[in-house]
Amino acid sequence: MLTANLKPTSQSPLYILGAGAIGSLWGAYGYQAGADIRLILRNQQTVNDYQQHGGIHLISAHQTLVSPVPADYPQSISTPIQNLLITTKAPQTMDALSAIKPHIAEQAVFLLLQNGLGIADQIRQEFPSVTVLQGSTTEGCYRQSGFEFVHAGHGHTFIGATGGSGIRDFNALDQLAASLSFPPLNVNISNDIDAVLWRKLAVNCAINPLTVIHHCRNGELLHKPKALAQMRQIVDEILAVSVALNRTHWLTNLHEYVENVAKTTADNRSSMLQDIEAGRETEIDAITGYLCQLAEQHNINVPLNQEILAEIKRLSREAKH
Ligand SMILES: NC(=O)c1ccc[n+]([C@@H]2O[C@H](COP(=O)([O-])OP(=O)(O)OC[C@H]3O[C@@H](n4cnc5c(N)ncnc54)[C@H](OP(=O)(O)O)[C@@H]3O)[C@@H](O)[C@H]2O)c1
């Protein structure tokens, strides 16, 4: 049973861990909607810089929205964290949570809104009394500089309780979705969030690493014969893993679905490509790495995904030097 609502109240603000593009989107629109929100930044210096900047500057439809959302760093948090929206990138999550561990309430509710899979299970192991919900968003936002972000594309956000969470209280989830729908953001519940996350994983496996390997925008993958053939093989391998997991009903028309995402996001430079170019860690372990791990557990061969995992890790190491 869901024991608490992830809902900002005067007693328990909504904390946001990972105030980058997505976290700042919810932070800024939440602040404008009058919600009690607090950002958790890395350290005192980041909070000072942020305050000097005057808060989050969010550019949307050629207007700049300035939102001085209150901000803490781990040592300055003074109220127990009951409600936490986590929007760090997958590999940053456990370190970020470990820094705020002493402040996390026993019955806290976390909503993990990020790409990739496997992190929710790690959180449940580390914080067994906490309720972990998951979400997936197609909102598009990027950092222009410092604390300035651009809301580049409106999308949809689905949240829900995964099979692993044991939660079936959809009424409370509905309220939670409504309480996070700060205009213009639109959050809905999915009665089958596992399927939503699995489809998103498939899209991320089939598009993101290939944009790095072929050094191109999403849509260009469809016009490069080698990239298109690889995209189709990646999807075939995901389908093989899905059969072993008895999840085929989640993946109807997966080839068409993935190719359509590449088409509708044709001009996008994937976050993985941007991470590599900036010498940042990628989310490959929570995307292709997660798929390969599942495949190994079920004795399924996924040679292209394994090859791609190794190649992205190699390129990532190279880019950092
Ligand atoms: N951006 C989009 O349009 C979009 C769309 C759909 C899904 N997503 C997914 O959403 C997730 C977040 O993406 P994003 O684009 O918002 O990434 P991002 O801009 O890199 O934001 C992550 C933020 O987490 C912060 N962080 C990392 N470790 C921290 C720590 N220990 N303490 C406090 N803050 C910490 C980072 O700070 P530093 O900058 O100091 O590292 C950064 O500000 C990813 O999984 C991404 O794939 C993004």
Side-chain angles (χ1 to χ4, degrees):
M1 208 181 75
L2 190 60
T3 49
N5 283 349
L6 188 80
K7 190 175 175 183
T9 67
S10 52
Q11 286 81 36
S12 52
L14 172 64
Y15 282 94
I16 299 180
L17 180 63
I22 292 295
S24 295
L25 205 56
W26 260 266
Y29 288 131
Y31 179 86
Q32 297 292 330
D36 183 7
I37 293 189
R38 299 194 74 88
L39 308 177
I40 305 174
L41 303 181
R42 274 183 188 275
N43 50 41
Q44 189 165 12
Q45 183 60 52
T46 328
V47 171
N48 291 346
D49 294 346
Y50 167 80
Q51 282 166 349
Q52 261 180 12
H53 191 75
I56 299 170
H57 289 50
L58 182 66
I59 300 158
S60 175
H62 308 295
Q63 281 192 326
T64 303
L65 209 61
V66 180
S67 305
V69 187
D72 279 304
Y73 55 96
Q75 294 75 15
S76 75
I77 295 171
S78 57
T79 48
I81 300 172
Q82 177 60 51
N83 305 311
L84 183 67
L85 175 62
I86 305 173
T87 50
T88 49
K89 288 201 163 164
Q92 304 168 325
T93 311
M94 297 314 291
D95 280 350
L97 278 172
S98 137
I100 58 168
K101 192 170 182 176
H103 304 287
I104 293 172
E106 175 91 4
Q107 302 296 317
V109 180
F110 292 176
L111 172 60
L112 187 60
L113 189 57
Q114 64 181 198
N115 277 332
L117 288 177
I119 303 296
D121 291 337
Q122 290 180 38
I123 298 177
R124 288 191 189 101
Q125 273 188 3
E126 190 67 30
F127 301 91
S129 66
V130 163
T131 299
V132 184
L133 305 170
Q134 278 178 270
S136 176
T137 186
T138 57
E139 293 291 345
C141 187
Y142 63 88
R143 189 192 297 267
Q144 183 152 276
S145 64
F147 302 100
E148 246 172 61
F149 299 90
V150 178
H151 189 187
H154 290 276
H156 299 284
T157 303
F158 286 97
I159 63 167
T162 59
S165 67
I167 294 166
R168 287 287 167 264
D169 186 349
F170 287 109
N171 215 7
L173 281 175
D174 227 355
Q175 286 175 21
L176 167 61
S179 73
L180 291 171
S181 291
F182 307 125
L185 303 174
N186 195 356
V187 181
N188 291 291
I189 62 163
S190 164
N191 292 343
D192 197 355
I193 193 74
D194 287 300
V196 173
L197 296 172
W198 189 246
R199 281 176 88 82
K200 183 74 184 249
L201 182 81
V203 166
N204 285 333
C205 284
I207 295 179
N208 293 14
L210 290 181
T211 62
V212 175
I213 288 165
H214 294 279
H215 203 80
C216 66
R217 290 175 191 263
N218 292 2
E220 290 173 72
L221 293 173
L222 301 169
H223 305 293
K224 293 177 186 275
K226 184 168 181 199
L228 185 59
Q230 286 174 319
M231 195 190 269
R232 289 180 176 157
Q233 188 182 336
I234 289 171
V235 171
D236 282 337
E237 292 180 5
I238 294 167
L239 288 170
V241 175
S242 308
V243 170
L245 297 171
N246 213 5
R247 289 176 180 171
T248 41
H249 58 295
W250 289 353
L251 293 179
T252 320
N253 300 330
L254 189 63
H255 282 286
E256 290 85 339
Y257 180 69
V258 166
E259 287 172 31
N260 197 40
V261 172
K263 206 180 288 172
T264 54
T265 62
D267 287 338
N268 287 14
R269 295 174 75 256
S270 78
S271 57
M272 198 172 284
L273 178 57
Q274 292 180 47
D275 285 342
I276 290 270
E277 284 178 349
R280 291 188 298 255
E281 193 169 4
T282 72
E283 296 189 291
I284 194 73
D285 280 330
I287 296 176
T288 310
Y290 180 80
L291 182 90
C292 290
Q293 219 178 327
L294 272 186
E296 196 180 327
Q297 283 165 11
H298 291 83
N299 287 321
I300 310 291
N301 281 330
V302 288
L304 184 55
N305 277 288
Q306 272 172 338
E307 195 183 302
I308 280 173
L309 176 62
E311 179 63 1
I312 297 293
K313 281 173 170 284
R314 189 187 67 75
L315 290 170
S316 183
R317 275 193 305 273
E318 255 181 34
K320 278 184 194 160
H321 290 129

